[in-house]
């Protein structure tokens, strides 16, 4: 079973609590919005500390060090692809214009023999909780609910 860990940044705003989400890069999600946004996260190996993996993957995906601050455990969710995701929430601010996303390589178009490079996350943005719920991967919406329970 694949496992991922990630950080859900959140901040107060005039419109209420906002969360930072990333739009998944690559050709499969290029024209999608709903269900194509995720917390910054990544896979880790058995025996690896999920917290350490969440911090490492944040930096790999956004090109910025993970923020310091109190980490609130948000637990786990199981996505429809079978992957289990563990997340922590940290209150912090970040300018999406400052990201330098990591990349991955894949054959595209399929069976073309051409290898192309794509960003892990092709854009990052702040969303209010209800707006985030409309675009985030369905299973990860539980993290938004759990964050709301812990936030003022």
């Amino acid at each position: 079973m694949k496992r991922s860990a990630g950080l859900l940044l959140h901040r107060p705003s005039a419109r209420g609590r906002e969360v930072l989400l990333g739009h998944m890069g690559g050709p499969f999600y290029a024209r999608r919005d709903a269900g194509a946004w995720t917390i910054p996260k990544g896979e880790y190996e058995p025996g690896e500390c999920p917290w350490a993996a969440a911090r490492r993957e944040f930096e790999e995906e956004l090109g910025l060090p993970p923020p310091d601050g109190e980490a609130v455990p948000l637990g786990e969710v199981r996505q429809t692809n079978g992957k289990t995701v563990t997340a922590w929430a940290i209150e912090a601010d970040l300018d999406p214009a400052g990201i330098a996303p990591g990349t991955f390589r894949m054959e595209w178009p399929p069976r073309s023999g051409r290898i192309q490079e794509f960003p892990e996350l092709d854009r990052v943005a702040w969303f209010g909780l209800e707006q985030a719920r409309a675009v985030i991967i369905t299973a990860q919406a539980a993290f938004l609910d759990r964050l709301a329970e812990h936030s003022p």
Side-chain angles (χ1 to χ4, degrees):
M1 174 191 343
K2 291 187 177 185
R3 300 184 67 80
S4 285
L7 301 178
L8 177 61
L9 267 56
H10 63 99
R11 67 182 186 187
S13 78
R15 297 183 313 268
R17 182 94 8 217
E18 293 181 327
V19 294
L20 185 76
L21 301 178
H23 185 270
M24 292 182 283
F28 299 120
Y29 299 99
R31 291 185 174 88
R32 289 184 53 195
D33 206 38
W37 292 79
T38 181
I39 66 168
K41 63 171 181 41
E43 291 184 12
Y44 63 95
E45 298 298 321
E48 184 179 1
C49 172
W51 169 245
R55 293 180 58 79
R56 178 194 70 233
E57 291 296 331
F58 183 92
E59 188 158 2
E60 284 181 14
E61 295 221 341
L62 299 181
L64 299 170
D68 293 323
E70 180 187 356
V72 175
L74 298 177
E76 294 181 348
V77 298
R78 187 177 178 120
Q79 298 182 165
T80 56
N81 63 4
K83 183 183 291 185
T84 298
V85 180
T86 305
W88 288 265
I90 298 179
E91 186 171 324
D93 201 357
L94 179 147
D95 181 358
I99 70 159
T103 60
F104 67 96
R105 297 169 55 88
M106 67 180 283
E107 181 181 16
W108 190 259
R111 297 178 295 286
S112 68
R114 293 183 47 216
I115 302 297
Q116 295 190 50
E117 190 170 49
F118 299 96
E120 295 273 354
L121 299 173
D122 59 21
R123 57 200 141 119
V124 175
W126 288 99
F127 292 90
L129 291 178
E130 288 311 307
Q131 187 185 15
R133 192 175 314 287
V135 298
I136 198 167
I137 294 171
T138 304
Q140 291 182 25
F143 294 141
L144 304 176
D145 297 335
R146 295 170 193 167
L147 172 65
E149 291 172 8
H150 291 285
S151 297

